[in-house]
Amino acid sequence: MRPLTADDIRSSFVNATPEQLDRLPLPGLHETIWHEREFLGWRDPQAARLGYIVHWAGDRPVGVVVRAASGSLRHGIAAMCSFCRSSQPATQVRMFSAPRAGEAGLNGNTIGTYICEDLACPMLIRITPSQPLQPDLVELRSQRLLERVHGFTADVLKTA
């Protein structure tokens, strides 16, 4: 992923209200290892259910505001993130919804999917419990993760 500036991030959101943009918390960009990310994802420390996903689509960054469901999946079962396809304890995967862009989103039209609760999919595709992944497998996982994130964003941008 190419680096993002605070201005890139603030201007990238396709489904944020002006009020959300005014209070948008930014993650520590100086701490970000950009070459190990397909997207930048973070949760809002002041609004526990809000999260943000920003990725590059061609030459421009595209950002999506997501909201975590109030309830979580049942304890003791496994769940899979629809982005990174990591199987994890259900408490680490949550249903997130995103308002569609434009008038559709303002009218309450949303799209939802299960995503890692901490939005750390780029990290998860690079690790396994017992050994580091081979570079070609990481590249394949990276491409597939980015395809799924682009697909989700494309769905958010649909107005009907």
mmCIF file of all heavy atoms in Angstrom, residues 61-90:
data_model
loop_
_atom_site.group_PDB
_atom_site.id
_atom_site.type_symbol
_atom_site.label_atom_id
_atom_site.label_comp_id
_atom_site.label_asym_id
_atom_site.label_seq_id
_atom_site.Cartn_x
_atom_site.Cartn_y
_atom_site.Cartn_z
ATOM 1 N N PRO A 61 -7.307 7.415 -2.935
ATOM 2 C CA PRO A 61 -7.724 6.641 -1.760
ATOM 3 C C PRO A 61 -9.241 6.663 -1.634
ATOM 4 O O PRO A 61 -9.896 7.651 -1.970
ATOM 5 C CB PRO A 61 -7.061 7.383 -0.597
ATOM 6 C CG PRO A 61 -6.871 8.775 -1.081
ATOM 7 C CD PRO A 61 -6.707 8.694 -2.574
ATOM 8 N N VAL A 62 -9.796 5.539 -1.177
ATOM 9 C CA VAL A 62 -11.227 5.413 -0.954
ATOM 10 C C VAL A 62 -11.418 4.961 0.493
ATOM 11 O O VAL A 62 -10.832 3.967 0.921
ATOM 12 C CB VAL A 62 -11.865 4.388 -1.925
ATOM 13 C CG1 VAL A 62 -13.332 4.197 -1.606
ATOM 14 C CG2 VAL A 62 -11.674 4.829 -3.366
ATOM 15 N N GLY A 63 -12.223 5.710 1.209
ATOM 16 C CA GLY A 63 -12.482 5.387 2.606
ATOM 17 C C GLY A 63 -13.939 5.051 2.839
ATOM 18 O O GLY A 63 -14.830 5.607 2.184
ATOM 19 N N VAL A 64 -14.189 4.144 3.780
ATOM 20 C CA VAL A 64 -15.540 3.704 4.129
ATOM 21 C C VAL A 64 -15.667 3.709 5.647
ATOM 22 O O VAL A 64 -14.807 3.183 6.353
ATOM 23 C CB VAL A 64 -15.811 2.285 3.574
ATOM 24 C CG1 VAL A 64 -17.171 1.787 4.008
ATOM 25 C CG2 VAL A 64 -15.679 2.253 2.067
ATOM 26 N N VAL A 65 -16.743 4.308 6.127
ATOM 27 C CA VAL A 65 -17.081 4.246 7.548
ATOM 28 C C VAL A 65 -17.912 2.987 7.755
ATOM 29 O O VAL A 65 -18.853 2.724 7.005
ATOM 30 C CB VAL A 65 -17.900 5.476 7.983
ATOM 31 C CG1 VAL A 65 -18.328 5.356 9.441
ATOM 32 C CG2 VAL A 65 -17.115 6.751 7.757
ATOM 33 N N VAL A 66 -17.541 2.187 8.743
ATOM 34 C CA VAL A 66 -18.290 0.980 9.073
ATOM 35 C C VAL A 66 -18.745 1.048 10.528
ATOM 36 O O VAL A 66 -18.128 1.720 11.346
ATOM 37 C CB VAL A 66 -17.454 -0.309 8.826
ATOM 38 C CG1 VAL A 66 -17.165 -0.496 7.351
ATOM 39 C CG2 VAL A 66 -16.166 -0.309 9.628
ATOM 40 N N ARG A 67 -19.834 0.361 10.820
ATOM 41 C CA ARG A 67 -20.367 0.317 12.187
ATOM 42 C C ARG A 67 -20.506 -1.130 12.604
ATOM 43 O O ARG A 67 -21.124 -1.934 11.907
ATOM 44 C CB ARG A 67 -21.724 1.018 12.248
ATOM 45 C CG ARG A 67 -22.360 0.993 13.620
ATOM 46 C CD ARG A 67 -23.653 1.768 13.674
ATOM 47 N NE ARG A 67 -23.467 3.180 13.428
ATOM 48 C CZ ARG A 67 -23.082 4.066 14.346
ATOM 49 N NH1 ARG A 67 -22.848 3.666 15.581
ATOM 50 N NH2 ARG A 67 -22.951 5.337 14.044
ATOM 51 N N ALA A 68 -19.939 -1.457 13.766
ATOM 52 C CA ALA A 68 -20.023 -2.812 14.305
ATOM 53 C C ALA A 68 -21.407 -3.054 14.885
ATOM 54 O O ALA A 68 -22.014 -2.164 15.483
ATOM 55 C CB ALA A 68 -18.967 -3.010 15.391
ATOM 56 N N ALA A 69 -21.900 -4.262 14.695
ATOM 57 C CA ALA A 69 -23.176 -4.656 15.297
ATOM 58 C C ALA A 69 -23.042 -4.606 16.815
ATOM 59 O O ALA A 69 -21.963 -4.812 17.371
ATOM 60 C CB ALA A 69 -23.559 -6.059 14.841
ATOM 61 N N SER A 70 -24.153 -4.352 17.476
ATOM 62 C CA SER A 70 -24.103 -4.244 18.934
ATOM 63 C C SER A 70 -23.867 -5.588 19.602
ATOM 64 O O SER A 70 -23.248 -5.660 20.650
ATOM 65 C CB SER A 70 -25.384 -3.604 19.466
ATOM 66 O OG SER A 70 -26.493 -4.364 19.063
ATOM 67 N N GLY A 71 -24.335 -6.652 19.017
ATOM 68 C CA GLY A 71 -24.126 -7.979 19.589
ATOM 69 C C GLY A 71 -22.981 -8.689 18.904
ATOM 70 O O GLY A 71 -22.604 -8.359 17.786
ATOM 71 N N SER A 72 -22.418 -9.639 19.590
ATOM 72 C CA SER A 72 -21.326 -10.412 18.986
ATOM 73 C C SER A 72 -21.807 -11.838 18.724
ATOM 74 O O SER A 72 -22.874 -12.243 19.176
ATOM 75 C CB SER A 72 -20.101 -10.422 19.899
ATOM 76 O OG SER A 72 -20.408 -11.029 21.125
ATOM 77 N N LEU A 73 -21.000 -12.563 18.005
ATOM 78 C CA LEU A 73 -21.307 -13.970 17.756
ATOM 79 C C LEU A 73 -21.168 -14.758 19.055
ATOM 80 O O LEU A 73 -20.508 -14.320 19.999
ATOM 81 C CB LEU A 73 -20.374 -14.521 16.682
ATOM 82 C CG LEU A 73 -20.523 -13.883 15.299
ATOM 83 C CD1 LEU A 73 -19.417 -14.354 14.372
ATOM 84 C CD2 LEU A 73 -21.881 -14.227 14.716
ATOM 85 N N ARG A 74 -21.725 -15.933 19.073
ATOM 86 C CA ARG A 74 -21.739 -16.770 20.272
ATOM 87 C C ARG A 74 -20.335 -17.239 20.636
ATOM 88 O O ARG A 74 -19.547 -17.635 19.771
ATOM 89 C CB ARG A 74 -22.648 -17.958 20.006
ATOM 90 C CG ARG A 74 -23.052 -18.721 21.220
ATOM 91 C CD ARG A 74 -23.956 -19.824 20.828
ATOM 92 N NE ARG A 74 -23.275 -20.547 19.740
ATOM 93 C CZ ARG A 74 -23.684 -21.657 19.215
ATOM 94 N NH1 ARG A 74 -24.788 -22.195 19.612
ATOM 95 N NH2 ARG A 74 -23.019 -22.244 18.268
ATOM 96 N N HIS A 75 -20.025 -17.201 21.906
ATOM 97 C CA HIS A 75 -18.742 -17.705 22.408
ATOM 98 C C HIS A 75 -18.619 -19.199 22.136
ATOM 99 O O HIS A 75 -19.601 -19.918 22.087
ATOM 100 C CB HIS A 75 -18.621 -17.471 23.924
ATOM 101 C CG HIS A 75 -18.485 -16.025 24.278
ATOM 102 N ND1 HIS A 75 -17.294 -15.350 24.195
ATOM 103 C CD2 HIS A 75 -19.399 -15.122 24.687
ATOM 104 C CE1 HIS A 75 -17.472 -14.097 24.559
ATOM 105 N NE2 HIS A 75 -18.750 -13.931 24.863
ATOM 106 N N GLY A 76 -17.391 -19.657 21.944
ATOM 107 C CA GLY A 76 -17.133 -21.080 21.810
ATOM 108 C C GLY A 76 -17.250 -21.631 20.404
ATOM 109 O O GLY A 76 -17.111 -22.828 20.205
ATOM 110 N N ILE A 77 -17.524 -20.779 19.433
ATOM 111 C CA ILE A 77 -17.577 -21.242 18.053
ATOM 112 C C ILE A 77 -16.531 -20.495 17.239
ATOM 113 O O ILE A 77 -15.984 -19.494 17.680
ATOM 114 C CB ILE A 77 -18.981 -21.054 17.411
ATOM 115 C CG1 ILE A 77 -19.349 -19.577 17.346
ATOM 116 C CG2 ILE A 77 -20.029 -21.846 18.160
ATOM 117 C CD1 ILE A 77 -20.602 -19.290 16.526
ATOM 118 N N ALA A 78 -16.239 -20.978 16.060
ATOM 119 C CA ALA A 78 -15.303 -20.308 15.165
ATOM 120 C C ALA A 78 -16.080 -19.459 14.172
ATOM 121 O O ALA A 78 -17.236 -19.734 13.875
ATOM 122 C CB ALA A 78 -14.442 -21.321 14.430
ATOM 123 N N ALA A 79 -15.427 -18.423 13.684
ATOM 124 C CA ALA A 79 -16.025 -17.566 12.660
ATOM 125 C C ALA A 79 -14.939 -17.197 11.671
ATOM 126 O O ALA A 79 -13.741 -17.302 11.968
ATOM 127 C CB ALA A 79 -16.620 -16.324 13.296
ATOM 128 N N MET A 80 -15.359 -16.759 10.491
ATOM 129 C CA MET A 80 -14.392 -16.409 9.465
ATOM 130 C C MET A 80 -14.636 -14.980 8.988
ATOM 131 O O MET A 80 -15.765 -14.594 8.693
ATOM 132 C CB MET A 80 -14.479 -17.359 8.274
ATOM 133 C CG MET A 80 -13.431 -17.079 7.218
ATOM 134 S SD MET A 80 -13.470 -18.249 5.855
ATOM 135 C CE MET A 80 -12.777 -19.685 6.653
ATOM 136 N N CYS A 81 -13.570 -14.215 8.905
ATOM 137 C CA CYS A 81 -13.616 -12.865 8.362
ATOM 138 C C CYS A 81 -13.807 -12.958 6.847
ATOM 139 O O CYS A 81 -13.124 -13.740 6.183
ATOM 140 C CB CYS A 81 -12.310 -12.141 8.695
ATOM 141 S SG CYS A 81 -12.114 -10.554 7.867
ATOM 142 N N SER A 82 -14.706 -12.158 6.317
ATOM 143 C CA SER A 82 -14.950 -12.200 4.872
ATOM 144 C C SER A 82 -13.863 -11.498 4.072
ATOM 145 O O SER A 82 -13.776 -11.683 2.868
ATOM 146 C CB SER A 82 -16.314 -11.585 4.549
ATOM 147 O OG SER A 82 -16.308 -10.211 4.851
ATOM 148 N N PHE A 83 -13.012 -10.708 4.726
ATOM 149 C CA PHE A 83 -11.913 -10.045 4.023
ATOM 150 C C PHE A 83 -10.674 -10.947 3.960
ATOM 151 O O PHE A 83 -10.213 -11.295 2.894
ATOM 152 C CB PHE A 83 -11.527 -8.735 4.716
ATOM 153 C CG PHE A 83 -12.422 -7.574 4.445
ATOM 154 C CD1 PHE A 83 -13.557 -7.671 3.657
ATOM 155 C CD2 PHE A 83 -12.128 -6.346 4.996
ATOM 156 C CE1 PHE A 83 -14.375 -6.583 3.426
ATOM 157 C CE2 PHE A 83 -12.928 -5.243 4.765
ATOM 158 C CZ PHE A 83 -14.049 -5.350 3.985
ATOM 159 N N CYS A 84 -10.135 -11.311 5.124
ATOM 160 C CA CYS A 84 -8.865 -12.058 5.144
ATOM 161 C C CYS A 84 -9.062 -13.565 5.149
ATOM 162 O O CYS A 84 -8.101 -14.317 5.003
ATOM 163 C CB CYS A 84 -8.000 -11.632 6.320
ATOM 164 S SG CYS A 84 -8.675 -11.993 7.953
ATOM 165 N N ARG A 85 -10.306 -13.999 5.353
ATOM 166 C CA ARG A 85 -10.647 -15.417 5.385
ATOM 167 C C ARG A 85 -9.910 -16.169 6.497
ATOM 168 O O ARG A 85 -9.634 -17.351 6.365
ATOM 169 C CB ARG A 85 -10.411 -16.079 4.034
ATOM 170 C CG ARG A 85 -11.166 -15.426 2.895
ATOM 171 C CD ARG A 85 -12.615 -15.890 2.874
ATOM 172 N NE ARG A 85 -13.474 -15.126 2.000
ATOM 173 C CZ ARG A 85 -13.750 -15.418 0.739
ATOM 174 N NH1 ARG A 85 -13.192 -16.448 0.190
ATOM 175 N NH2 ARG A 85 -14.559 -14.661 0.050
ATOM 176 N N SER A 86 -9.617 -15.463 7.577
ATOM 177 C CA SER A 86 -8.999 -16.093 8.742
ATOM 178 C C SER A 86 -10.097 -16.656 9.631
ATOM 179 O O SER A 86 -11.050 -15.965 9.973
ATOM 180 C CB SER A 86 -8.189 -15.073 9.546
ATOM 181 O OG SER A 86 -7.124 -14.587 8.793
ATOM 182 N N SER A 87 -9.930 -17.905 10.016
ATOM 183 C CA SER A 87 -10.842 -18.533 10.948
ATOM 184 C C SER A 87 -10.350 -18.223 12.349
ATOM 185 O O SER A 87 -9.176 -18.445 12.660
ATOM 186 C CB SER A 87 -10.876 -20.040 10.701
ATOM 187 O OG SER A 87 -11.801 -20.638 11.567
ATOM 188 N N GLN A 88 -11.238 -17.703 13.192
ATOM 189 C CA GLN A 88 -10.861 -17.246 14.525
ATOM 190 C C GLN A 88 -11.984 -17.531 15.509
ATOM 191 O O GLN A 88 -13.091 -17.859 15.085
ATOM 192 C CB GLN A 88 -10.645 -15.730 14.512
ATOM 193 C CG GLN A 88 -9.826 -15.211 13.388
ATOM 194 C CD GLN A 88 -9.824 -13.700 13.402
ATOM 195 O OE1 GLN A 88 -9.469 -13.094 14.390
ATOM 196 N NE2 GLN A 88 -10.212 -13.104 12.311
ATOM 197 N N PRO A 89 -11.729 -17.337 16.802
ATOM 198 C CA PRO A 89 -12.842 -17.408 17.744
ATOM 199 C C PRO A 89 -13.899 -16.377 17.357
ATOM 200 O O PRO A 89 -13.568 -15.265 16.919
ATOM 201 C CB PRO A 89 -12.200 -17.056 19.091
ATOM 202 C CG PRO A 89 -10.753 -17.385 18.914
ATOM 203 C CD PRO A 89 -10.444 -17.107 17.469
ATOM 204 N N ALA A 90 -15.148 -16.729 17.493
ATOM 205 C CA ALA A 90 -16.241 -15.858 17.051
ATOM 206 C C ALA A 90 -16.211 -14.482 17.698
ATOM 207 O O ALA A 90 -16.681 -13.514 17.120
ATOM 208 C CB ALA A 90 -17.577 -16.536 17.320
#
